[in-house]
């Protein structure tokens, strides 16, 4: 809390430049793939993209920051109120909120997708099952797909970038891949994002996951989810021509999806214990190569 108070005091003193630098540092540390991808975006758009991703990261971390679900609900409600102009106190004292407000105004962004993202993150606070594949796709749509869509609007300066359907598929592919990569950490925290209908087909229970038992059924369920991610990845690639060329930089993180999925195809892959990552140089190379072919 003392650190947060210092951040708010510094924001009040130094204003927007501090808030935007704060967001960039948050994303660099907490979401390195999007950080690296943003370095290829137009310079004028980068502070707004960092604000967007810092907001997403902050909301995604509410569960670990809150002592219980009710405390998490209160934190999420503060963000809803901040976006809708109903929060008490000086919202701009929060550096992420200050930078996000600037991004919204500068790019004439609708606030509803941000509120929808917050609403989707309520799921994170509890240990309810993800019932069906459709529910998982909807969750990824409100979170990851929304980020692709908003980022493309930011890069286009608020102009319609097209590719709404492509953004939807991109977010589901990216979101599922990220959830599979995070499975070791989520399972230890008691969170299960794998849909119950897929787990049921493979004879896997929630207890198999959160207790670390795993087993061949879990490997099969994860393989099914990789197949699902690849189907959405293919649909995104088919729809990519509908995205305005100037906005395609927003989708550079998609260049990392297939390499991560391929790493999980290996026979040595253990869903509950393998940290799936790529060397930094390889990520930069993949993003650079994708940046050369987006137009």
């Amino acid at each position: 809390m003392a650190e947060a108070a210092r951040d708010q005091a510094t924001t009040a003193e130094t204003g927007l430049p501090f808030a935007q630098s704060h967001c960039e540092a948050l994303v660099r540390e907490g979401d390195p793939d999007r950080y690296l991808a943003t370095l290829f975006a137009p310079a004028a758009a980068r502070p707004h993209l960092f604000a967007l991703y810092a907001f997403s990261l902050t909301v995604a971390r509410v569960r670990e920051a809150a002592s219980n679900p009710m405390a998490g609900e209160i934190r999420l409600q503060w963000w809803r109120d901040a976006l809708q102009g109903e929060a008490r106190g000086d919202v701009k004292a929060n550096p992420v909120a200050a930078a996000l407000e600037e991004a919204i105004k500068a790019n004439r962004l609708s606030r509803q997708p941000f509120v929808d993202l917050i609403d989707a993150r309520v799921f994170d606070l509890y240990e309810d099952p993800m019932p069906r594949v459709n529910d998982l796709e909807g969750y990824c749509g409100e979170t990851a797909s929304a980020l692709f869509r908003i980022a493309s609007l930011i890069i286009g300066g608020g102009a319609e970038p097209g590719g709404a359907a492509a953004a939807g598929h991109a977010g589901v592919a990216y979101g599922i891949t990220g959830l599979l990569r995070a499975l070791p950490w989520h399972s230890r925290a008691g969170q299960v994002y794998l849909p119950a209908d897929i787990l049921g087909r493979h004879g896997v229970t929630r207890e198999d996951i959160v207790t670390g038992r795993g087993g061949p059924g879990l490997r099969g369920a994860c393989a099914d989810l990789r197949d699902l991610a690849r189907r959405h990845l293919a649909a995104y690639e088919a729809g990519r021509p509908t995205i305005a060329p100037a906005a395609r930089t927003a989708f550079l993180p998609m260049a990392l999806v297939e390499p991560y999925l391929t790493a999980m195809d290996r026979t040595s892959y253990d869903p509950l214990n393998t940290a799936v990552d790529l060397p930094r140089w390889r990520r930069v190379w993949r993003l650079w190569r994708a940046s050369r072919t987006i137009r």
Side-chain angles (χ1 to χ4, degrees):
M1 293 299 291
E3 182 180 353
R6 286 197 301 272
D7 282 348
Q8 291 183 356
T10 308
T11 304
E13 293 172 3
T14 60
L16 186 60
F18 167 79
Q20 292 177 333
S21 295
H22 177 86
C23 289
E24 181 176 349
L26 276 180
V27 178
R28 183 190 303 117
E29 178 183 356
D31 195 347
D33 288 352
R34 286 195 176 99
Y35 172 78
L36 292 172
T38 302
L39 299 182
F40 292 92
R46 289 175 205 159
H48 298 160
L49 292 171
F50 286 134
L52 169 66
Y53 299 143
F55 160 75
S56 174
L57 190 61
T58 300
V59 173
R61 288 175 167 176
V62 163
R63 175 179 169 125
E64 60 189 80
S67 57
N68 55 66
M70 182 55 66
E73 292 263 19
I74 292 171
R75 286 173 180 257
L76 292 179
Q77 186 58 49
W78 184 90
W79 277 104
R80 289 190 196 92
D81 292 344
L83 284 163
Q84 296 168 340
E86 299 174 0
R88 294 181 179 179
D90 183 6
V91 170
K92 290 187 177 180
N94 180 302
V96 177
L100 183 65
E101 183 67 19
E102 174 65 17
I104 289 172
K105 290 182 176 178
N107 298 285
R108 306 180 300 281
L109 301 174
S110 168
R111 296 172 187 268
Q112 191 59 48
F114 296 94
V115 176
D116 292 342
L117 187 152
I118 293 168
D119 291 343
R121 287 292 183 183
V122 172
F123 179 86
D124 301 352
L125 303 178
Y126 299 92
E127 297 178 358
D128 298 330
M130 184 71 73
R132 298 172 300 278
V133 167
N134 287 347
D135 298 299
L136 176 61
E137 291 172 323
Y139 174 88
C140 292
E142 299 289 2
T143 53
S145 298
L147 292 186
F148 282 119
R149 174 68 174 164
I150 297 169
S152 64
L153 285 162
I154 288 173
I155 290 175
E160 173 55 49
H169 290 296
V172 177
Y174 194 86
I176 290 174
T177 303
L179 290 172
L180 287 171
R181 291 179 63 211
L183 185 54
W185 294 272
H186 287 158
S187 62
R188 288 194 287 271
Q191 291 176 284
V192 178
Y193 290 88
L194 281 60
D197 55 356
I198 287 183
L199 294 178
R201 284 205 302 270
H202 291 273
V204 181
T205 66
R206 179 181 183 277
E207 287 67 31
D208 291 331
I209 297 173
V210 299
T211 62
R213 284 197 298 265
L218 180 59
R219 291 174 182 269
C222 290
D224 283 358
L225 283 170
R226 293 197 299 277
D227 289 343
L228 177 63
R230 284 187 167 110
R231 290 198 295 274
H232 282 283
L233 177 60
Y236 154 69
E237 290 174 345
R240 188 164 50 184
T242 66
I243 304 168
R248 291 176 189 169
T249 306
F251 295 85
L252 283 181
M254 293 301 296
L256 303 176
V257 170
E258 184 55 47
Y260 285 135
L261 294 174
T262 299
M264 289 183 271
D265 288 337
R266 297 170 183 162
T267 55
S268 60
Y269 169 63
D270 180 347
L272 295 179
N273 294 291
T274 301
V276 178
D277 207 350
L278 299 171
R280 180 184 170 93
W281 70 265
R282 189 178 173 199
R283 284 181 284 158
V284 172
W285 179 77
R286 294 279 308 192
L287 293 167
W288 174 83
R289 190 174 71 170
S291 74
R292 306 291 291 180
T293 61
I294 59 176
R295 293 184 181 276

